[in-house]
Amino acid sequence: MSSDFPTAIRWEKGELWLLDQTRLPHSVNYEKQESAQQLFDSIHALKVRGAPAIGIAAAYGLCVVMAQHRHLAFAEFQRELITQADFINSSRPTAVNLQWALERLKSIAATFTEPDTAKLLARLVSEAEAIHDEDKALCKGIGEQALALITDDCGIMTHCNAGALATGGIGTATAPMYLAHANGQKFRVFSNETRPLLQGSRLTSWELHCAGIDVTLLTDNMAAQTMASGAIDMVIVGTDRVVANGDVANKIGTLGVAILARHYNIPFYVACPSSTVDLQTANGSLIPIEQRNGDEVRGFGGQKATIDEIKTINPAFDVTPAELVSGIITEKGIVSAPYNENLKALFAH
Ligand code: MRU
């Protein structure tokens, strides 16, 4: 991808700047994050979004917030850090990366042996930077593991945005696409629009187009017909949480795509870094699914598609059962069934 494509997160001299993704692709605007409440609102409103990106943003954001508390006595500082981290963590429940990144910082604060707030703060910043750098490397690793799946002239369907905008690097589902494109391979990507918030049209199709990748946009209800036409050779999506038995939470609509893929005998892959694998949760029924405001379903971008009185449902994610997943692409390798055993073998250490 081109080096001038906007990154989701900028960390500059102790300042956290987030690209407001709700305004993409028409306006590229960064907002400086100055408080826990602002960061909570940015994550909740999907200004920053995508599992890895919200983990990175939360880690930096906690550093920004704790820098404002640097005058506290050490023990008080440690207690305040837990309060602020738990508050930021409550902004969105489904992506495990948010909790994972904040836990890394909490654990450093809890075990820091020198009672020196300034030194702890510096250590927290270096950990947040490490989370960011690691994610970049994990994305590349995912791409390398999945590169062989992309054959010349193949058609790949994706859903939502598991791209550069959702991570610190070249995305998860998009990572093999960026690498294959850089190698000169020809293939086509079909990006589902992803109602209600249109991550497919606003983000995925835009970022792939900017990279020069052949991308076609379709509305979600066109997925079946597109598969039936023979245009799709595989599906690759991202995920917000993979649990121990291989069930996978991802953007609402992913489950439908997986069921369709099974019907048409099309492999369905899920790409994610190890930070998205949650072996503590036994199965998908235990994943908390975010429920969002019904106005997102009643219209889009201030345009109403119905009247305010109409009842709605608006789960932000669904859970695809492991039996529909052909493989989970991680930076360590592609895991296939039986997931209970194989995920544990890959990630236990
Ligand atoms: O609500 P969003 O836009 O944060 O949902 C994002 C997704 O569902 C992505 O597929 C997932 O977080 C993986 S991002 C690499």
Side-chain angles (χ1 to χ4, degrees):
M1 58 184 296
S2 125
S3 58
D4 57 6
F5 189 76
T7 55
I9 297 164
R10 285 189 353 215
W11 177 248
E12 291 167 358
K13 300 189 187 100
E15 291 179 353
L16 173 61
W17 293 82
L18 296 179
L19 175 61
D20 180 357
Q21 299 195 26
T22 63
R23 298 171 64 179
L24 292 177
H26 303 298
S27 160
V28 174
N29 186 52
Y30 284 86
E31 289 180 356
K32 186 175 166 194
Q33 306 297 301
E34 300 192 270
S35 70
Q37 185 63 56
Q38 185 189 4
L39 179 64
F40 178 104
D41 293 343
S42 297
I43 295 173
H44 187 71
L46 274 59
K47 289 183 175 184
V48 63
R49 34 102 8 237
I54 59 177
I56 299 163
Y60 281 137
L62 184 60
C63 295
V64 168
V65 173
M66 292 316 297
Q68 294 161 2
H69 291 289
R70 52 160 51 95
H71 58 278
L72 291 177
F74 190 73
E76 246 184 292
F77 182 89
Q78 284 175 309
R79 278 195 295 277
E80 184 64 23
L81 182 137
I82 294 172
T83 305
Q84 298 293 346
D86 291 349
F87 173 66
I88 295 167
N89 186 42
S90 65
S91 55
R92 291 192 85 187
T94 305
V96 75
N97 306 60
L98 181 57
Q99 181 191 330
W100 169 89
L102 290 166
E103 283 301 329
R104 271 177 69 160
L105 269 59
K106 276 166 80 174
S107 135
I108 283 168
T111 55
F112 205 69
T113 46
E114 227 179 322
D116 181 323
T117 304
K119 284 191 180 154
L120 172 54
L121 199 50
R123 176 69 189 86
L124 294 170
V125 169
S126 72
E127 189 69 7
E129 288 169 343
I131 289 171
H132 196 175
D133 289 345
E134 283 165 24
D135 190 61
K136 212 173 284 177
L138 295 177
C139 289
K140 188 159 172 278
I142 291 167
E144 286 163 354
Q145 294 290 347
L147 195 52
L149 296 175
I150 301 191
T151 50
D152 273 338
D153 290 327
C154 73
I156 310 164
M157 178 173 282
T158 192
H159 190 78
C160 193
N161 173 262
L165 290 165
T167 65
I170 55 173
T172 61
T174 57
M177 305 174 195
Y178 282 119
L179 295 189
H181 180 68
N183 288 348
Q185 273 183 264
K186 298 273 171 267
F187 56 93
R188 288 172 302 282
V189 180
F190 293 82
S191 170
N192 296 341
E193 173 185 48
T194 319
R195 269 290 283 157
L197 295 181
L198 308 185
Q199 288 91 334
S201 46
R202 295 187 306 103
L203 309 178
T204 303
S205 58
W206 180 59
E207 73 163 77
L208 295 181
H209 172 81
C210 290
I213 293 174
D214 180 339
V215 60
T216 302
L217 177 65
L218 57 149
T219 62
D220 300 330
N221 53 359
M222 297 171 187
Q225 173 59 23
T226 308
M227 288 185 187
S229 76
I232 307 299
D233 298 292
M234 83 189 85
V235 176
I236 311 181
V237 295
T239 172
D240 286 77
R241 193 183 297 230
V242 173
V243 293
N245 73 341
D247 290 350
V248 165
N250 193 44
K251 178 52 55 194
I252 192 71
T254 302
L255 171 60
V257 174
I259 293 169
L260 292 173
R262 175 56 55 92
H263 180 80
Y264 288 106
N265 207 15
I266 294 168
F268 178 90
Y269 292 102
V270 175
C272 71
S274 44
S275 52
T276 307
V277 178
D278 169 15
L279 294 182
Q280 307 309 315
T281 300
N283 64 65
S285 70
L286 301 169
I287 302 175
I289 298 294
E290 178 184 4
Q291 305 292 326
R292 295 185 62 86
N293 193 306
D295 286 342
E296 292 177 353
V297 176
R298 290 188 198 94
F300 182 79
Q303 285 281 53
K304 288 186 182 176
T306 188
I307 55 172
D308 294 343
E309 291 74 19
I310 300 298
K311 286 190 292 181
T312 60
I313 51 170
N314 191 11
F317 300 95
D318 56 29
V319 176
T320 298
E323 70 204 63
L324 296 179
V325 178
S326 312
I328 298 174
I329 306 164
T330 77
E331 78 280 1
K332 293 173 190 281
I334 303 182
V335 186
S336 50
Y339 290 105
N340 253 321
E341 280 167 40
N342 293 346
L343 281 171
K344 208 184 286 168
L346 201 64
F347 290 104
H349 47 280

